[in-house]
Amino acid sequence: EPVGEWYEASLPGREAFCMRDVAHQSTGAQILGLAGHTRNMLWKFAENIAPTRDWCTYWEIDRHNRPAPVDYRSDQDFWYNLPANFDLLDCCYRQYLWSGDRTYLDHPVFRNFYAKTVNEYVQAWDKDGDGIPEHYPHYGQRGIATYNEEVTHPLIGGDLIATQCAAYAAYATMLAWEGAHQCAADWRQRAQMLRHLYSSAWWSAPTQCFASYRLQDGSFAFGTSGVTNYFPLYFGLVDDEAKASAALEREIQARTQRNVEERSYLPELFYAYGRDEIAYADLLEQVSPAYARRDYPEVAYAVIGTLAVGTLGIAPDASTQTVTTT
């Protein structure tokens, strides 16, 4: 194939791989022996970060090694969800933990992607100077502030803050491995500031839930909106156990309302918070032949990944050459 080793990670039939899907499917792919494929796909995203796209890369790449035509027309007109750069950085970090492949730490293509993501990318999309990228209506589909594609022009989604925090924490750890401890401390502090902001400003005590979005007028919008509400849990953004528990319960109650992409994250999330029975029940529903859109590749990869990190509780750490389980 012109693009090199790859696996399907997008809507079936597109013969392509998408940033969010690859980030989520990567653990399952690792279990299946596809670490080299994942590295090549992540490499393709990393090498295409560019100032002409305001430090975005290509949202989706096809097997012909081109930005998928369905999503890309030019550097001024393309689909892009702003959590993606952060999600991908965190994915590269996790792939190193699983594989020990130092390409993720040492190669200039990856190192450039990480540095540009936490610096220039944020600066390009953070017009109000609060440290968080945001979306404005005239952007159209270029720079959507959430992975939720059904809401019109929110300013910031909860999932954007969650992925940004995860990326900063991952970047800090990689810097610490190099011995750049002061820089690492700076990025850890930025991650902690995002955690504090979300836990305080985004929380509603009367309703006992987190906001899903900030709207264009700066106000908060509440509601069970899937990825904007569970990504902060999925990426460990919420330190407060009581708040996390309340937020998790909402996701458990609303789980069957999610589309297949969103729901594929939930069993792993439920396992992470010790809700083993509901996690396993949801996993079984997703592997059922009666499950709608079961052919979506993310479903199968997420099931394999969840069996490893959820059911078995496997957590590898190549930096210390250790593996822990439940």
Side-chain angles (χ1 to χ4, degrees):
E1 296 281 11
V3 80
E5 293 183 319
W6 71 287
Y7 49 79
E8 191 173 48
S10 67
L11 286 169
R14 283 191 178 177
E15 298 184 325
F17 48 94
C18 171
M19 293 180 75
R20 185 197 60 78
D21 301 52
V22 172
H24 189 211
Q25 291 178 212
S26 60
T27 301
Q30 173 72 34
I31 302 302
L32 294 168
L34 299 174
H37 294 64
T38 301
R39 183 185 62 211
N40 178 60
M41 294 153 76
L42 294 174
W43 176 289
K44 292 296 178 182
F45 289 126
E47 73 173 352
N48 282 299
I49 191 171
T52 54
R53 291 184 283 278
D54 293 314
W55 303 105
C56 297
T57 174
Y58 295 134
W59 170 248
E60 194 169 356
I61 298 172
D62 68 14
R63 69 184 183 88
H64 302 291
N65 198 27
R66 62 185 182 181
V70 69
D71 291 323
Y72 178 88
R73 292 175 183 82
S74 72
D75 281 1
Q76 289 70 49
D77 182 11
F78 59 91
W79 182 283
Y80 213 80
N81 303 68
L82 292 177
N85 274 45
F86 303 129
D87 203 359
L88 209 75
L89 193 163
D90 181 69
C91 175
C92 291
Y93 165 71
R94 287 184 285 110
Q95 282 298 293
Y96 170 73
L97 294 181
W98 274 95
S99 67
D101 185 345
R102 290 199 59 91
T103 306
Y104 290 110
L105 304 184
D106 299 337
H107 199 283
V109 165
F110 282 112
R111 292 173 68 96
N112 178 65
F113 177 80
Y114 306 152
K116 292 294 190 288
T117 289
V118 299
N119 291 295
E120 283 89 339
Y121 179 71
V122 174
Q123 292 160 14
W125 294 95
D126 173 28
K127 302 302 185 189
D128 63 7
D130 67 350
I132 302 170
E134 67 274 340
H135 170 87
Y136 296 103
H138 68 272
Y139 292 177
Q141 63 184 13
R142 188 185 187 272
I144 303 167
T146 170
Y147 277 146
N148 188 317
E149 298 164 355
E150 298 170 0
V151 178
T152 305
H153 302 304
L155 185 73
I156 300 171
D159 53 327
L160 177 56
I161 297 179
T163 52
Q164 186 178 4
C165 180
Y168 284 1
Y171 190 58
T173 300
M174 290 190 280
L175 288 172
W177 287 338
E178 291 181 0
H181 296 293
Q182 184 55 57
C183 286
D186 291 343
W187 288 106
R188 279 203 195 92
Q189 184 178 19
R190 295 192 199 196
Q192 191 56 40
M193 288 169 62
L194 290 171
R195 284 195 190 93
H196 177 73
L197 170 74
Y198 183 79
S199 189
S200 55
W202 286 61
W203 175 254
S204 167
T207 58
Q208 289 291 291
C209 67
F210 286 102
S212 304
Y213 313 98
R214 276 187 66 200
L215 303 177
Q216 290 296 322
D217 64 3
S219 65
F220 289 101
F222 293 82
T224 51
S225 298
V227 65
T228 54
N229 290 75
Y230 69 69
F231 254 44
L233 300 173
Y234 185 82
F235 283 101
L237 186 64
V238 184
D239 287 336
D240 187 303
E241 287 188 17
K243 291 178 181 178
S245 181
L248 182 70
E249 196 57 42
R250 284 177 173 267
E251 294 309 312
I252 290 173
Q253 297 302 320
R255 66 190 178 89
T256 58
Q257 300 168 24
R258 307 291 172 234
N259 62 34
V260 293
E261 296 98 322
E262 290 187 325
R263 195 170 172 183
S264 66
Y265 288 89
L266 295 181
E268 182 183 343
L269 172 66
F270 298 156
Y271 272 123
Y273 284 84
R275 304 298 293 271
D276 294 3
E277 289 187 11
I278 191 67
Y280 188 61
D282 206 75
L283 204 59
L284 290 182
E285 288 181 40
Q286 293 191 35
V287 299
S288 166
Y291 191 62
R293 293 180 68 204
R294 184 169 173 254
D295 62 333
Y296 198 90
E298 192 170 3
V299 176
Y301 281 87
V303 165
I304 298 298
T306 298
L307 288 172
V309 304
T311 312
L312 298 175
I314 296 174
D317 184 348
S319 71
T320 55
Q321 297 192 325
T322 58
V323 177
T324 58
T325 73
T326 50

